[in-house]
């Protein structure tokens, strides 16, 4: 069996790859592993369980709740809420475990399970590995002690989870949003209620699209992966800005008043300057992945802000932030982590702070985002090659060095191996798009010849 856990939990096609039996078994295994690790500290454990609106989330939630309760864990079912809300409530309520059922920006047939440890933090790799091991032992027939009578977990629904999360966001907001008109695209996802409520209570005039989930329409032509609708809505309604979430609202992309996209790098740049001004950007440092646009790096250098880069994946950004105490990090895709107020990417929080900066500064988002210039990126996937040799091929190393000399200080080359497929991704950035295309094409040919 291959590793079930990816960089963001366990995902797959619901009822095919991710079945009710698997959801139940993983939940039992998680309860046992956390008990072994001493997480429960001798007391009766409690878990917070939430989901996005996917139809499959209904049966998967039932399976997770059954698994946890059968393992002696009390369950607080909070219903449809964003991933960061479940993480927040796990910490706020002193729960021992949090579980979120969502496949984020993936299409409706997919679903996923994400576990949070005490405090609302993602599980360490070694705990995920141990959960997989215990799950496999149980799946193949290993017995486990089943509590009976009063030892089984109890299940109750919470009507307060959404309110607690909204109040938390309002407390974090540095200033009100009075006078702003904001379009929100909720992707027919998990934030369809809480996001409009918090923006309205913060003083903004809100136009909402993508806020009618039916279990089947999540991420369908809307949200942060499909910006055409929100771009049109911002222009149509004369809004100051638009905020687009994905299915579980752990990411945020924006649109300025002209309908132009403001991506995760630009959002990070705007927030970094705002936080430095407020003396909350610890060590004047922001954390991003190696996939961030070179224009972001150049802008941070110009503004005197240090940039630390990590491997691709918000979990690596978070690890770097936690290890060194940094306050702000994120990805170009819109996962933005404000560690003083969240343990994971929070799209609603990010959108609120971005809108707050617009309101506080009196400057349009387009002007604020112009602090960085996005350099053109060209990405080519080279398939059917031996990706294991991408770092050891002398021919390829020489070609990359030649390309970087040609591009100079305003260009760069990045080669990445796919985690699941026999392919290498060639990314080239340059101020001149035609130069980027030419360099990327040549490098793709070298990858094919050297690793094919």
């Amino acid at each position: 069996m291959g590793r079930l856990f990816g960089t963001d939990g366990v995902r797959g096609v619901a009822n095919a790859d991710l079945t009710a039996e698997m959801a139940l078994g993983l939940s039992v295994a998680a309860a046992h592993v956390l008990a072994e690790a001493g997480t429960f500290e001798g007391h009766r454990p409690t878990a917070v369980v939430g989901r996005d609106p996917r139809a499959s989330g209904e049966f998967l939630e039932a399976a997770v709740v059954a698994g946890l309760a059968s393992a002696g864990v009390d369950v607080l079912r909070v219903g449809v809420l964003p991933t960061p809300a479940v993480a927040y409530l796990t910490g706020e309520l002193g729960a021992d475990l949090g579980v979120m059922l969502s496949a984020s920006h993936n299409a409706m047939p997919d679903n996923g399970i994400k576990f949070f440890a005490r405090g609302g933090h993602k599980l360490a790799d070694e705990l995920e590995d141990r959960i997989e091991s215990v799950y496999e032992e149980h799946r193949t027939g290993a017995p486990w002690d089943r509590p009976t009578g009063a030892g089984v977990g109890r299940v109750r629904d919470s009507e307060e989870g959404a309110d607690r999360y909204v109040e938390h966001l309002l407390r974090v907001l540095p200033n009100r949003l009075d006078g702003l008109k904001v379009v929100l695209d909720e992707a027919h996802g998990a934030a369809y209620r809480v996001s409009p409520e918090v923006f309205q209570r913060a003083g903004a005039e809100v136009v909402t699209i993508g806020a009618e989930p039916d279990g089947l329409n999540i991420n369908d032509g809307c949200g942060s992966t499909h910006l055409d609708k929100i771009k049109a809505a911002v222009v149509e309604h004369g809004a100051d800005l638009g905020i687009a979430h994905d299915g579980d609202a752990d990411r945020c992309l924006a649109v300025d008043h002209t309908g132009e996209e403001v991506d995760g790098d630009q959002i990070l740049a705007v927030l970094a300057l705002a936080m430095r001004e407020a003396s909350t950007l610890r060590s004047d440092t922001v954390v991003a992945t190696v996939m961030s646009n070179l224009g972001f790096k150049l802008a941070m250098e110009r503004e005197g802000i240090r940039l630390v880069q990590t491997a691709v994946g918000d979990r690596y950004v978070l690890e770097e932030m936690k290890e060194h105490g940094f306050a702000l990090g994120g990805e170009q895709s819109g996962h933005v982590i404000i560690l003083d107020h969240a343990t994971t990417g929070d799209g609603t929080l990010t959108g609120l702070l971005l809108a707050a900066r617009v309101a506080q500064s009196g400057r349009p988002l387009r002007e604020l985002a112009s602090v960085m210039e996005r350099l053109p990126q060209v990405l080519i996937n080279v398939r059917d090659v031996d990706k294991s040799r991408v770092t050891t091929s002398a021919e390829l190393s020489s070609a990359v060095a030649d390309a970087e000399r040609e591009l100079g200080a305003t260009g760069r080359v990045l080669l990445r191996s796919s985690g699941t497929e026999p392919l290498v991704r060639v990314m080239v950035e340059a101020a001149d798009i035609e130069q980027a295309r030419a360099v990327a094409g040549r490098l793709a040919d070298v990858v094919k010849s050297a690793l094919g």
Side-chain angles (χ1 to χ4, degrees), residues 314-389:
D314 64 317
R315 72 180 301 151
Y316 302 113
V317 173
L318 181 58
E319 287 172 3
E320 182 72 20
M321 294 173 68
K322 289 168 64 177
E323 182 178 352
H324 298 286
F326 300 134
L328 178 66
E331 295 184 289
Q332 189 181 71
S333 61
H335 281 115
V336 176
I337 304 168
I338 300 101
L339 198 54
D340 287 342
H341 308 299
T343 59
T344 185
D346 189 329
T348 305
L349 173 61
T350 301
L352 279 171
L353 294 181
L354 188 66
R357 180 59 168 173
V358 173
Q360 177 267 331
S361 67
R363 299 163 62 192
L365 179 57
R366 184 177 182 85
E367 180 182 335
L368 292 171
S370 69
V371 67
M372 67 160 281
E373 177 186 358
R374 283 186 294 184
L375 297 183
Q377 291 181 330
V378 175
L379 179 66
I380 299 177
N381 290 330
V382 185
R383 300 183 180 277
D384 300 321
V385 294
D386 182 2
K387 63 183 181 182
S388 67
R389 295 193 290 118

Side-chain angles (χ1 to χ4, degrees), residues 46-363:
T46 300
V48 174
V49 177
R51 64 181 179 88
D52 72 23
R54 292 166 210 264
S56 60
E58 297 167 3
F59 80 78
L60 289 172
E61 177 191 59
V64 166
V65 170
L68 291 172
S70 72
V73 178
D74 289 338
V75 177
L76 184 65
R77 192 164 45 192
V78 296
V80 174
L81 280 179
T83 290
V86 173
Y88 168 74
L89 290 170
T90 300
E92 173 70 9
L93 299 175
D96 303 281
L97 174 65
V99 187
M100 178 66 186
L101 293 156
S102 177
S104 190
H105 61 282
N106 288 22
M108 180 276 295
D110 289 352
N111 216 322
I113 302 177
K114 186 186 303 185
F115 294 103
F116 293 103
R118 176 180 284 274
H121 299 279
K122 291 184 178 180
L123 296 185
D125 287 346
E126 55 268 24
L127 285 178
E128 290 182 342
D129 290 340
R130 179 60 182 149
I131 289 170
E132 281 197 27
S133 177
V134 172
Y135 164 73
E136 184 63 13
E137 290 171 7
H138 292 170
R139 193 181 68 84
T140 54
W144 54 277
D145 292 332
R146 298 173 182 268
T148 59
V152 301
R154 304 298 298 273
V155 181
R156 61 187 177 93
D157 293 324
S158 170
E159 303 295 334
E160 302 176 353
D163 291 339
R164 282 177 175 264
Y165 177 60
V166 168
E167 292 295 338
H168 159 66
L169 294 175
L170 290 170
R171 286 194 299 270
V172 169
L173 196 64
N175 53 270
R176 289 185 57 80
L177 309 183
D178 299 289
L180 286 187
K181 180 184 280 191
V182 182
V183 176
L184 301 176
D185 185 345
E186 303 301 343
H188 298 304
Y192 79 101
R193 289 179 298 181
V194 294
S195 180
E197 178 182 347
V198 74
F199 271 87
Q200 288 169 350
R201 289 180 57 182
E205 179 183 350
V206 174
V207 177
T208 306
I209 62 175
E212 299 177 346
D214 61 11
L216 307 178
N217 58 1
I218 190 169
N219 299 318
D220 187 8
C222 57
S224 60
T225 52
H226 305 279
L227 295 177
D228 288 346
K229 287 183 180 179
I230 192 171
K231 288 179 178 180
V234 166
V235 174
E236 176 188 349
H237 292 280
D240 296 287
L241 70 156
I243 300 295
H245 300 308
D246 59 339
D248 70 336
D250 67 349
R251 68 171 68 183
C252 162
L253 292 180
V255 174
D256 68 27
H257 72 284
T258 71
E260 286 296 312
E261 176 185 349
V262 177
D263 70 11
D265 287 337
Q266 292 169 296
I267 292 171
L268 275 175
V270 173
L271 294 184
L273 294 179
M275 290 174 65
R276 183 176 65 176
E277 184 179 296
S279 300
T280 57
L281 186 69
R282 287 194 292 279
S283 302
D284 283 350
T285 298
V286 62
V287 182
T289 77
V290 294
M291 290 298 289
S292 284
N293 193 279
L294 179 59
F296 175 67
K297 178 181 180 181
L298 297 175
M300 293 298 95
E301 288 177 354
R302 185 181 67 248
E303 296 294 332
I305 293 175
R306 177 176 171 237
L307 173 64
V308 174
Q309 292 186 285
T310 72
V312 176
D314 64 317
R315 72 180 301 151
Y316 302 113
V317 173
L318 181 58
E319 287 172 3
E320 182 72 20
M321 294 173 68
K322 289 168 64 177
E323 182 178 352
H324 298 286
F326 300 134
L328 178 66
E331 295 184 289
Q332 189 181 71
S333 61
H335 281 115
V336 176
I337 304 168
I338 300 101
L339 198 54
D340 287 342
H341 308 299
T343 59
T344 185
D346 189 329
T348 305
L349 173 61
T350 301
L352 279 171
L353 294 181
L354 188 66
R357 180 59 168 173
V358 173
Q360 177 267 331
S361 67
R363 299 163 62 192

Side-chain angles (χ1 to χ4, degrees), residues 377-383 414-416 423-428 436-445 447:
Q377 291 181 330
V378 175
L379 179 66
I380 299 177
N381 290 330
V382 185
R383 300 183 180 277
L414 180 65
L415 302 184
R416 290 184 59 230
L423 66 82
V424 172
R425 294 186 171 93
V426 178
M427 190 192 78
V428 176
R437 286 175 178 149
V439 171
R442 291 200 302 271
L443 283 175
D445 290 340
V447 170

